[in-house]
Amino acid sequence: MATLPLGPAGPRELHCRILHESIVVIDRAWNHMLCNPYWRLYRNDGDGAWVDCPSGEVHLDAGLLYLVPAWGRFHSRCVKSTRHFYAHFAPSGLEGDWSKGVFDRPLAVPRDAARDLAAERLSRGAPTPARRLRVQALVADALAATIEALPAQALHGLSLQMAGPDQMGPALRHIDAHLAARLPVAVLAKQCGLSVHHFSRVFHARIGRTPTRYVQERRVAVAAERLVSGDEGIERIADAAGFANRYHFTRVFTRFMGVPPATYRRTGRV
């Protein structure tokens, strides 16, 4: 098993923030696209559900936990009713290009008696603050177990990333704290004490995308979360996420997610 060394600036901040979780019954009419800018943890009480992805079909076995990676477009379907426990979450501190080609399909979480029992209990529990903490613990444990089971090359890439200084941390935190504001690359570079050119190069090497692309992804992700977790107006969500207006929001959101915001609100909850 690979170990993750601490960088010279000390341990990275690693945590999983729960965005939304619930228990629902999905029936045989369930058949739609999963466009997810955040991660999902799934557990079904019964068989009969599938997730289709470019690399093939993944059957969701009863009682088994599955992680559905962010930014994938998958097709989900069900041929008989089943109780479905799910959690949307955003992992922090694992950004980067190290997972390229690894998280391209739903992944079964390795079996563990204690984790499976915790998941079974949570799939039937009532919403309480204590339950929310237990869901957060389950998500972190499931993600950790799945990472430990990844191929050696992916673990090596993560180890290399974690060993270096967290140069991009100030910029990432600034983005999340100021999504509604203008976020030119020069402002982000200043947060890290780097020139614009050097910042852009290091950001792409560390995060796997340009700063502009990452800002757009974060805006879409935050907007998507608010669309499915409440009943705010679309104009208000667009403004809070940093889009110029509803039309700009709809254009960008549809380009990333494949469906417009109103459609996502109806179909993206689970």
Side-chain angles (χ1 to χ4, degrees):
M1 182 183 300
T3 58
L4 304 182
L6 301 180
R12 298 286 184 95
E13 179 186 1
L14 299 174
H15 66 87
C16 294
R17 183 167 61 93
I18 303 299
L19 308 176
H20 185 69
E21 58 92 7
S22 189
I23 305 163
V24 298
V25 174
I26 55 177
D27 58 30
R28 60 192 310 166
W30 184 263
N31 191 319
H32 75 88
M33 292 298 296
L34 288 175
C35 304
N36 46 314
Y38 37 72
W39 287 68
R40 303 175 191 227
L41 181 70
Y42 279 175
R43 181 189 183 276
N44 290 342
D45 276 0
D47 290 321
W50 284 264
V51 174
D52 297 323
C53 55
S55 58
E57 180 182 88
V58 179
H59 179 252
L60 305 183
D61 294 336
L64 197 60
L65 286 166
Y66 290 86
L67 287 172
V68 183
W71 296 113
R73 291 191 186 179
F74 307 121
H75 179 253
S76 62
R77 53 194 172 90
C78 189
V79 297
K80 62 181 179 179
S81 296
T82 181
R83 180 186 292 267
H84 176 71
F85 162 66
Y86 69 93
H88 299 169
F89 68 97
S92 175
L94 295 176
E95 300 87 356
D97 213 21
W98 64 273
S99 61
K100 189 174 183 180
V102 175
F103 293 133
D104 58 355
R105 60 186 282 122
L107 297 175
V109 178
R111 298 303 299 256
D112 173 84
R115 182 166 52 247
D116 291 346
L117 178 60
E120 195 278 331
R121 289 173 174 171
L122 287 171
S123 70
R124 299 179 182 277
T128 65
R131 170 193 164 80
R132 185 80 167 192
L133 289 171
R134 294 188 186 280
V135 170
Q136 187 175 40
L138 175 65
V139 165
D141 186 36
L143 182 58
T146 304
I147 287 175
E148 287 177 336
L150 290 178
Q153 184 176 358
L155 283 174
H156 179 66
L158 179 57
S159 295
L160 291 178
Q161 177 180 305
M162 299 297 292
D166 190 14
Q167 283 182 293
M168 297 297 104
L172 300 182
R173 291 187 288 271
H174 184 85
I175 290 168
D176 280 345
H178 300 86
L179 270 183
R182 290 186 64 252
L183 292 168
V185 176
V187 169
L188 302 179
K190 185 176 180 181
Q191 303 302 313
C192 301
L194 300 173
S195 70
V196 171
H197 175 73
H198 187 53
F199 169 79
S200 297
R201 184 174 60 81
V202 174
F203 191 98
H204 192 279
R206 291 277 180 174
I207 307 302
R209 52 190 62 80
T210 67
T212 300
R213 171 81 179 193
Y214 180 83
V215 169
Q216 284 190 322
E217 286 184 358
R218 290 300 303 141
R219 285 176 168 154
V220 168
V222 168
E225 173 192 343
R226 294 175 74 152
L227 283 167
V228 299
S229 62
D231 56 2
E232 290 180 281
I234 291 179
E235 291 85 357
R236 184 173 179 179
I237 290 174
D239 183 66
F243 294 97
N245 50 53
R246 176 170 179 161
Y247 304 103
H248 178 226
F249 172 46
T250 298
R251 186 172 68 253
V252 175
F253 191 93
T254 304
R255 186 171 76 245
F256 274 85
M257 304 299 291
V259 294
T263 302
Y264 187 80
R265 167 164 272 170
R266 293 194 303 271
T267 63
R269 189 174 299 277
V270 178

